[in-house]
Amino acid sequence: MVRYADPGAVEWVESGGGPLIAIPEVVLPFWAGADGDELSSDYDRACEVDGHVGLLPVGDTRALVLGDEPASTAYLPEHGTFVRWCAADSEAALLDRIPQALEAAEWEPEMHWDVPGAVVLFDAAWPGNASERTDHLRVALEPGRYTVRVAYVEPGPEVWVGLVQVRRAGD
């Protein structure tokens, strides 16, 4: 994980250029990443997600793909939101604008994600079993149905942020 400040307010996950993916821990062994002998790898499937987010089958559940661009991403549990760093001079400048960004967000249509428990966010190119050897972040979600919504916001001068909010359905 990357830290942009000392000691760093949050932990950030980066990719080598492709999408990040949040996979339920229970199905990590089923994600092969860019490995495999097939014509289309799991990584290829993740790269085919059209738009900012998408859901892909993995084992008997689905994973959340954070597509569009390989932005550094953190999870802010107090907001139930993955924050994608598009532009800001510093981590502090970006994080200071998150409340304004959430308030100003014009959300894209929601999708539903059934989650069996905690998920791990990492570069989709890595196999699930190797996710601990790269940038990764464990996000403790309770089992259940979640609503996922996305927005890209410019909450201040030279601050652009992607928001992927994950909320319990019915909250």
Side-chain angles (χ1 to χ4, degrees), residues 92-142:
L94 180 85
L95 295 176
D96 286 347
R97 297 290 184 154
I98 295 302
Q100 291 165 297
L102 288 165
E103 201 165 298
E106 293 182 19
W107 301 101
E108 293 181 7
E110 298 177 343
M111 65 177 59
H112 292 282
W113 184 26
D114 293 317
V115 179
V119 300
V120 179
L121 178 72
F122 61 98
D123 186 334
W126 284 82
N129 287 335
S131 62
E132 290 186 5
R133 296 194 313 254
T134 187
D135 278 359
H136 71 283
L137 180 63
R138 183 180 188 274
V139 178
L141 297 178
E142 293 294 321

Side-chain angles (χ1 to χ4, degrees), residues 4-166:
Y4 289 102
D6 191 19
V10 297
E11 296 175 356
W12 297 88
V13 175
E14 296 185 339
S15 80
L20 294 173
I21 190 162
I23 299 180
E25 278 183 325
V26 297
V27 295
L28 277 175
F30 298 105
W31 184 259
D35 293 348
D37 297 329
E38 299 179 26
L39 295 175
S40 180
S41 67
D42 285 341
Y43 176 73
D44 293 330
R45 291 189 311 130
C47 290
E48 290 173 1
V49 166
D50 190 27
H52 301 297
V53 296
L55 296 171
L56 281 182
V58 179
D60 62 355
T61 188
R62 296 187 300 171
L64 181 67
V65 178
L66 305 182
D68 189 41
E69 61 179 70
S72 294
T73 302
Y75 183 74
L76 303 181
E78 66 274 22
H79 300 293
T81 303
F82 289 100
V83 173
R84 312 209 64 209
W85 186 334
C86 300
D89 288 336
S90 68
E91 178 184 60
L94 180 85
L95 295 176
D96 286 347
R97 297 290 184 154
I98 295 302
Q100 291 165 297
L102 288 165
E103 201 165 298
E106 293 182 19
W107 301 101
E108 293 181 7
E110 298 177 343
M111 65 177 59
H112 292 282
W113 184 26
D114 293 317
V115 179
V119 300
V120 179
L121 178 72
F122 61 98
D123 186 334
W126 284 82
N129 287 335
S131 62
E132 290 186 5
R133 296 194 313 254
T134 187
D135 278 359
H136 71 283
L137 180 63
R138 183 180 188 274
V139 178
L141 297 178
E142 293 294 321
R145 176 163 261 218
Y146 287 80
T147 300
V148 179
R149 61 186 188 168
V150 179
Y152 275 79
V153 184
E154 295 179 27
E158 299 182 26
V159 177
W160 300 350
V161 62
L163 304 170
V164 180
Q165 193 168 60
V166 180

